[in-house]
Each structure stands twice: as structure tokens, then as C-alpha cells.
């Protein structure tokens, strides 16, 4: 690493020029803070459309289920590099770990907003209910967030010149990755287990005894798609090249994961004798068709052709569709599939949407700050910082 890139003089010389996206971020951040104040002073009822009939909404379906699932690229890629010894993917490991860590960190923030009594979030640490799926999820999320922080910490240590602890953590990277894979496997699947207790309430298009496996396999596929999207957005923001030699093989892995997941979904629908509900023009049938077409069929078909996989535009389009379909699936499971049984129609309030958009904006801002400050990418922080200043 070129240490001259991170000297105080160099950092002091970097100029930040606010632009359009800076203004958007500031507005979203201020709105997020305002809604948070209202939520904590006046309660959930003042900012959400949740009710006793429908207690879990956008903040669970998007902020939690999608936030955790889309961060699955971290354990997937670290396993590929450190367990399967495919060192060619090392250039994109650090940004992927950073993305995963930010995803989990903001899931925790979202939980603090969604919990009725957020000051009791620490109870899972002391009061052990070993028969609860949510207890297992809570512990796995806490532990895996810690693992991601430790995996990324050498970047921070190197920046401040603390090479001894950075070297020590590098020596522990293999057991850390193994622990991360175990924890991710447990809680990615356990999020699906949360919905096994409502077989009579969750619509048969989404309910299956195999929901834990559905959640796990789909998270791998969407996590790979998120790696590709993150690489593309980094290219746009920081004037980097797109690592097509690395991303094209990952797209093939995404096809395999989504293909397996799609077949499992169809098998589950057949088991529930629910194929008829797909084409009856019901609300649930239309939402399933949209989710399955965008999130499984189209990305699998597009990425099955090498000519399209090796084209940056088509590659990014396929990854975007995979991520979009994943988000739709989690929202369909947590919202669409539960509405009929609840007897209500839930639509998130403007304040709920504001919080979710604010979390995404804050996550992107922190990612940009980390790239501008630390050696997240192999070329160091300066190249990205200069381009970010120009674009701002």
C-alpha cells in the first residue's frame, strides 16, 4: 500500500464540493432525523400505518429482511476467496465486506425504530429464550455484525499505521470466515423460519415448509447480484473500471443459485396446489408473476448467454433484476402474502418510506466516505476521491 496516499497533508488537501446528490442526501437525512424524533416522542402510531391486525410492515419487510439478505454477498465472496482459495476475487472483497457490514448496521438501526420498546433490545443478550427463532436471529445478527467489523478492521488499522493488530487479524481470517459462513447460514434461513408459524395466514404462493432454504438460496443469488451492482455504482461514482473478468463468473454463480431457488419455489407451489391462484388475476397472483418474472426468469435467461454476461450493460441489468426480484419476494412474503388473512390492506405511510430511503442514503454516504478515506479498493482512496469531487 502506498502510505503517501493517506497522510494528513493529503487528506487536508482534498476538497469536497457539494452537488445535486449531496443535496438529496442532506434532505433525506434531515427527514430521517425528523421522523425518528416523532417516532420516539409520539410512538409508532404517529409515523406508521401499522396496526394490531398488521404489526409488521415496510421496516421489517424491506429494512430487515432485504437488508440482511442483500448483505449475503459478504459471506459468499469471503468463502470463495478464503475457503476455496480463489484469490483472483480479492480486489472486490473489501468493498463487499464493507457493504455487508453497513447492511447489518443499518438493520440494527431499523430495528431500534421498529421495536415497540427499543430500549429493551439488549434483553436477548441476558434473557435467553432458546426455543425462539427470533432469539437465534438476534444472536446471529449481533455476532455476524461483529465478525464483519473485525474482518474490515485491518483497513482501518492500516490507515492509522497500526500494522501489528492488522497482521494479527489477517492471521485469523480463515476461522473468522468459517464463523461468518456458519452464522450467515443460520440466520438467513431462520428469517424464513419466522414465517413457518403462520401456515394458515401466509398465502400458499409463498408459504412452504422449505421457507428457510428458500430464504438462504435466494439470499446467495441476490447477494451476488448486489456485488455486481455495488461494483457498477463504484465505477460510476469513483471512476473505476468494471472488473468484468471477476463479475462474469459471479454472474454464472448467480444463475445457478437463482435456478435452484426458482425450481424450489415451483415445487412448493405445486405441493400447495396453488398454481391455479397464479392465473386467476388476483392481487396475489399478479404480484407473484411480477416477482418471479423479474427476479428469477429474466435474470436466469439473460445471464445464461455468455454474450450478454460479458456485456457490462446486460450484466448490470441482470444483477439489478435479481436484486429487484429479491426485494419483491421479501415484501410479498412479509406484506402481500399476509394481507388477506389479516383482513386489512397495508400501505406504508410517507414517513415509513422516508425512514427506509434515509437509511439507504446514509448507507451510501458512509460507503462513499469509507472509499474516500481508506484503501477499500486496491488503488487506494485518492482516485475515487478526486472523481467524487468532480462529480459533486
Amino acid at each position: 500500500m502506498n502510505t503517501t496516499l493517506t497522510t494528513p497533508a493529503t487528506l487536508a488537501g482534498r476538497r469536497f464540493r457539494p452537488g445535486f446528490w449531496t443535496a438529496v442526501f442532506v434532505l433525506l437525512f434531515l427527514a430521517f432525523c425528523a421522523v425518528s424524533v416523532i417516532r420516539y416522542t409520539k410512538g409508532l402510531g404517529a409515523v406508521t400505518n401499522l396496526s394490531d391486525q398488521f404489526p409488521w410492515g415496510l421496516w421489517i419487510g424491506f429494512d430487515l429482511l432485504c437488508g440482511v439478505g442483500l448483505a449475503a454477498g459478504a459471506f459468499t465472496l469471503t468463502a470463495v476467496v478464503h475457503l476455496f482459495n480463489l484469490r483472483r476475487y480479492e480486489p472486490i472483497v473489501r468493498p463487499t465486506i464493507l457493504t455487508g457490514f453497513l447492511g447489518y448496521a443499518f438493520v440494527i438501526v431499523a430495528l431500534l425504530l421498529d421495536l415497540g420498546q427499543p430500549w429493551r433490545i439488549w434483553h436477548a443478550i441476558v434473557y435467553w429464550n432458546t426455543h425462539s427463532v427470533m432469539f437465534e436471529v438476534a444472536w446471529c445478527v449481533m455476532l455476524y455484525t461483529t465478525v464483519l467489523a473485525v474482518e474490515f478492521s485491518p483497513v482501518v488499522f492500516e490507515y492509522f499505521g497500526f500494522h501489528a493488530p492488522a497482521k494479527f487479524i489477517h492471521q485469523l481470517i480463515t476461522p473468522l470466515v468459517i464463523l461468518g459462513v456458519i452464522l450467515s447460514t443460520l440466520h438467513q434461513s431462520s428469517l424464513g423460519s419466522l414465517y413457518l408459524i403462520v401456515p394458515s395466514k401466509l398465502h400458499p404462493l409463498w408459504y412452504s415448509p422449505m421457507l428457510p432454504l428458500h430464504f438462504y438460496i435466494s439470499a446467495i443469488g441476490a447477494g451476488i447480484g448486489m456485488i455486481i451492482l455495488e461494483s457498477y455504482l463504484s465505477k460510476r461514482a469513483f471512476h473505476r473500471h468494471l472488473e468484468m473478468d471477476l463479475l462474469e463468473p459471479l454472474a454464472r454463480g448467480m444463475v445457478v443459485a437463482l435456478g435452484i431457488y426458482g425450481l424450489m419455489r415451483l415445487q412448493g407451489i405445486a405441493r400447495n396446489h396453488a398454481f391455479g391462484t397464479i392465473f386467476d388475476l388476483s392481487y396475489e397472483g399478479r404480484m407473484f408473476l411480477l416477482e418471479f418474472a423479474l427476479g428469477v426468469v429474466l435474470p436466469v435467461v439473460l445471464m445464461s448467454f455468455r454474450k450478454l454476461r460479458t456485456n457490462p450493460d446486460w450484466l448490470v441489468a441482470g444483477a439489478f433484476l435479481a436484486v429487484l426480484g429479491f426485494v419483491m419476494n421479501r415484501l410479498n412474503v412479509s406484506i402481500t402474502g399476509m394481507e388477506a388473512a389479516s383482513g386489512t390492506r397495508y400501505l406504508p405511510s410517507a414517513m415509513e418510506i422516508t425512514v427506509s430511503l434515509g437509511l439507504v442514503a446514509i448507507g451510501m454516504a458512509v460507503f462513499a466516505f469509507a472509499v474516500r478515506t481508506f484503501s477499500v479498493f486496491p488503488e487506494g482512496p485518492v482516485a475515487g476521491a478526486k472523481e467524487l469531487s468532480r462529480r459533486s
Side-chain angles (χ1 to χ4, degrees):
M1 181 182 69
N2 187 351
T3 55
T4 61
L5 297 178
T6 56
T7 60
T10 303
L11 293 174
R14 294 180 189 170
R15 298 172 59 192
F16 176 72
R17 299 173 183 173
F20 172 76
W21 290 112
T22 305
V24 171
F25 163 74
V26 171
L27 289 175
L28 286 173
F29 178 73
L30 292 176
F32 171 83
C33 292
V35 174
S36 298
V37 170
I38 297 172
R39 180 262 175 270
Y40 284 121
T41 56
K42 297 187 177 181
L44 286 170
V47 298
T48 73
N49 285 336
L50 301 175
S51 64
D52 290 339
Q53 291 74 33
F54 209 94
W56 283 4
L58 182 68
W59 292 350
I60 294 296
F62 181 78
D63 299 358
L64 174 61
L65 298 184
C66 293
V68 168
L70 293 176
F75 86 84
T76 303
L77 194 63
T78 52
V80 165
V81 171
H82 296 290
L83 300 185
F84 297 100
N85 204 33
L86 297 177
R87 298 291 176 177
R88 57 182 293 206
Y89 292 99
E90 271 192 302
I92 57 176
V93 167
R94 284 184 171 184
T96 301
I97 291 176
L98 175 60
T99 301
F101 173 71
L102 292 176
Y104 277 82
F106 288 107
V107 161
I108 295 171
V109 174
L111 277 176
L112 287 171
L113 287 165
D114 187 76
L115 291 175
Q117 296 179 322
W119 52 88
R120 294 186 176 182
I121 194 171
W122 58 272
H123 277 207
I125 301 175
V126 178
Y127 303 110
W128 285 36
N129 183 359
T130 55
H131 299 289
S132 170
V133 174
M134 295 187 74
F135 169 79
E136 186 266 339
V137 171
W139 266 97
C140 284
V141 168
M142 287 188 290
L143 291 174
Y144 187 53
T145 304
T146 304
V147 168
L148 287 170
V150 174
E151 288 179 341
F152 188 74
S153 63
V155 180
V156 181
F157 287 140
E158 291 168 3
Y159 172 79
F160 289 105
F162 300 145
H163 300 294
K167 183 179 179 181
F168 175 72
I169 292 172
H170 280 306
Q171 293 173 341
L172 296 177
I173 194 65
T174 298
L176 280 173
V177 170
I178 294 173
L179 179 61
V181 170
I182 293 172
L183 292 171
S184 295
T185 301
L186 288 172
H187 71 261
Q188 292 287 358
S189 59
S190 292
L191 288 174
S193 300
L194 288 175
Y195 292 90
L196 291 180
I197 63 175
V198 289
S200 60
K201 294 183 178 181
L202 184 58
H203 195 279
L205 286 175
W206 291 282
Y207 180 80
S208 169
M210 301 295 288
L211 261 178
L213 193 55
H214 289 182
F215 267 53
Y216 179 67
I217 300 296
S218 62
I220 293 176
I224 294 174
M226 196 64 195
I227 293 173
I228 297 173
L229 274 186
E230 175 264 312
S231 297
Y232 171 73
L233 293 174
S234 296
K235 165 188 172 292
R236 296 264 306 181
F238 309 117
H239 199 56
R240 301 187 65 254
H241 71 283
L242 200 62
E243 303 94 338
M244 290 299 298
D245 58 322
L246 304 180
L247 300 182
E248 188 271 334
L250 286 179
R252 280 183 278 159
M254 184 178 73
V255 168
V256 174
L258 291 180
I260 295 173
Y261 164 70
L263 291 175
M264 292 179 64
R265 286 294 308 281
L266 294 177
Q267 186 273 336
I269 294 172
R271 179 185 178 277
N272 292 338
H273 307 288
F275 272 111
T277 64
I278 297 177
F279 304 103
D280 62 2
L281 300 181
S282 66
Y283 173 62
E284 290 83 2
R286 294 195 303 271
M287 292 300 290
F288 170 80
L289 283 174
L290 191 60
E291 167 206 322
F292 200 76
L294 292 179
V296 178
V297 177
L298 279 177
V300 167
V301 171
L302 290 176
M303 296 298 97
S304 294
F305 294 96
R306 187 177 184 278
K307 184 177 180 180
L308 297 181
R309 283 199 314 271
T310 54
N311 181 299
D313 294 334
W314 283 108
L315 177 70
V316 173
F320 174 77
L321 288 171
V323 171
L324 178 62
F326 174 86
V327 171
M328 290 190 65
N329 170 259
R330 295 307 192 254
L331 292 177
N332 281 337
V333 170
S334 59
I335 297 175
T336 307
M338 300 289 290
E339 285 181 323
S342 69
T344 61
R345 180 69 73 187
Y346 164 79
L347 285 175
S349 69
M351 291 188 184
E352 288 178 84
I353 296 172
T354 297
V355 165
S356 295
L357 291 178
L359 284 173
V360 173
I362 294 170
M364 295 179 71
V366 174
F367 184 92
F369 170 79
V371 170
R372 294 177 68 239
T373 306
F374 306 111
S375 293
V376 175
F377 294 106
E379 61 268 27
V382 171
K386 288 181 179 178
E387 180 62 18
L388 185 63
S389 297
R390 286 199 297 268
R391 289 178 179 270
S392 298

